[in-house]
Amino acid sequence: MKIVHGGCSSSPSQKWSPMLYRRNASYVSDLGQSVVTALAPRRGEHILDLGCGDGALTEIIADTGAQVVGIDTSSEQIAACRTRGLNVFICDGHMLPFDSEFDAVFSNAALHWMNNVDLVLGSVENSLKKGGRFVAELGGKGNIKTLIDAFLNILEEHGVEPSSMASWYFPDALTYGTKLRSHGFIVDYIELFSRPTKLPFGVGGWLDTFGGPFFQAFPQGKQHLARAQAIAYIEPRIRDSEGFFWADYVRLRFSAHLPK
């Protein structure tokens, strides 16, 4: 798999199931609540949730009294958000249609799906008012390395060219901080840190929820075999002594703002 540490590449055609997401990946929003704390939303503020997913964190932000708009590229996730009564719509983070409208932009576990970082940061910059802040967390350099190694080994075994796969964007702090500054942001802090994450429904649950960029490289008839091989490779490498599975997550968290 191609992992991008700068520049851009094609965006992955990941398909989302709100049901699988809630079942297999509720930890994403649970762990993301500390990013909401870092955002410190205030009553009456206009806030954009960039890559809102099923709206779990969007709802928490809205409950503070902030006026929140959520966007996502998944029609299924947007439908799930609307069942919560949230103000959301389908939109690509590379092409935000806003002009100086928001006091803050928030994003959790979404920016690594958006591979043209300059387009995204330019869109965020345009969307914020002067002095507006940008608070986010995404996968960082080294994220899910064990899983990616498995994908690369299986691709090689099947004679599939790794470049045929869509990629995630997992930057380091220096690269992303430089990108933020190049788009006019003042970086308040930026941190790359390891966060091993327990997979409540094992490797299979993770693959079923997030494995689109891997499986789309295979013909339909070989995807079941590729899934079984990935599970066989990954499980013994991330199983602890009690039989639980821990993904080697690495996160990049930052807070930045535009000059007033």
Side-chain angles (χ1 to χ4, degrees), residues 233-249:
Y233 179 98
I234 296 166
E235 281 191 343
R237 289 167 170 81
I238 67 169
R239 182 190 290 115
D240 68 15
S241 60
E242 296 180 345
F244 297 112
F245 299 100
W246 295 81
D248 48 350
Y249 274 34

Side-chain angles (χ1 to χ4, degrees), residues 39-48 60-69 100-104 129 133:
L39 174 69
R42 297 184 287 273
R43 177 173 295 276
E45 282 193 315
H46 291 247
I47 297 176
L48 175 67
I60 290 173
I61 296 170
D63 286 344
T64 68
Q67 298 180 42
V68 189
V69 174
S100 303
E101 293 186 33
F102 295 99
D103 298 294
K129 301 174 183 177
R133 61 199 190 278

Side-chain angles (χ1 to χ4, degrees), residues 182-239:
S182 74
H183 286 273
F185 286 96
I186 297 168
V187 178
D188 301 306
Y189 75 85
I190 187 165
E191 178 187 13
L192 184 74
F193 59 97
S194 176
R195 187 173 66 203
T197 301
K198 186 177 179 180
L199 303 181
F201 290 93
V203 176
W206 191 96
L207 290 172
D208 293 342
T209 308
F210 299 112
F214 170 57
F215 293 118
Q216 70 184 14
F218 292 88
Q220 189 70 31
K222 289 189 175 181
Q223 290 182 2
H224 182 75
L225 175 60
R227 180 184 184 277
Q229 289 177 314
I231 291 172
Y233 179 98
I234 296 166
E235 281 191 343
R237 289 167 170 81
I238 67 169
R239 182 190 290 115

Side-chain angles (χ1 to χ4, degrees), residues 9-12 48-52 70-74 78 89-98 110-111 113-117 119-124 127:
S9 68
S10 59
S11 179
L48 175 67
D49 187 349
L50 175 56
C52 59
I71 66 159
D72 204 281
T73 57
S74 167
I78 289 296
F89 64 96
I90 297 172
C91 183
D92 187 336
H94 295 91
M95 299 175 288
L96 300 175
F98 309 111
L111 290 169
W113 296 96
M114 307 175 201
N115 291 321
N116 191 324
V117 62
L119 279 181
V120 172
L121 293 182
S123 284
V124 171
S127 300

